[in-house]
Amino acid sequence: QYPDYAAWQRQWLSGERLQTQADYWRETLAGAPARLALPTDRPRPAEQSFAGANVPVVIDAELTRDLKRLSRQHGTTLFMTVLTA
């Protein structure tokens, strides 16, 4: 179970091992840009905001049936199928 793994990892990654790992990543990432310069459709705001948005999508009944059938064929949920699309 994940809680057991997380507890093991927390115990394993402590003391000298934690310091060794932290030093490795500080050295490896030294000089990396603080912010990725990714192409976007609008400039970054001066102050970062974590406000999200949503986009409503309407899928008609026939397409929904087809997507559910496709999901069953592949052993996935409808959510996973639509997210993949």
Side-chain angles (χ1 to χ4, degrees):
Q1 298 295 330
Y2 184 77
D4 296 330
Y5 171 76
W8 167 83
Q9 188 175 43
R10 192 176 308 112
Q11 181 181 3
W12 180 81
L13 193 58
S14 61
E16 186 177 329
R17 185 175 286 129
L18 175 61
Q19 189 60 48
T20 302
Q21 290 291 313
D23 292 343
Y24 168 80
W25 285 110
R26 280 190 196 96
E27 182 180 327
T28 300
L29 297 173
R35 183 184 296 183
L36 292 178
L38 299 174
T40 60
D41 58 350
R42 60 184 68 91
R44 287 182 186 265
E47 187 173 318
Q48 185 175 9
S49 162
F50 294 96
N54 60 46
V55 178
V57 176
V58 178
I59 301 175
D60 64 52
E62 182 181 355
L63 181 56
T64 301
R65 277 194 305 276
D66 292 342
L67 288 169
K68 285 180 177 179
R69 183 179 42 77
L70 180 64
S71 299
R72 281 191 304 275
Q73 288 174 345
H74 291 277
T76 66
T77 64
L78 179 59
F79 174 80
M80 291 170 58
T81 301
V82 173
L83 184 63
T84 300

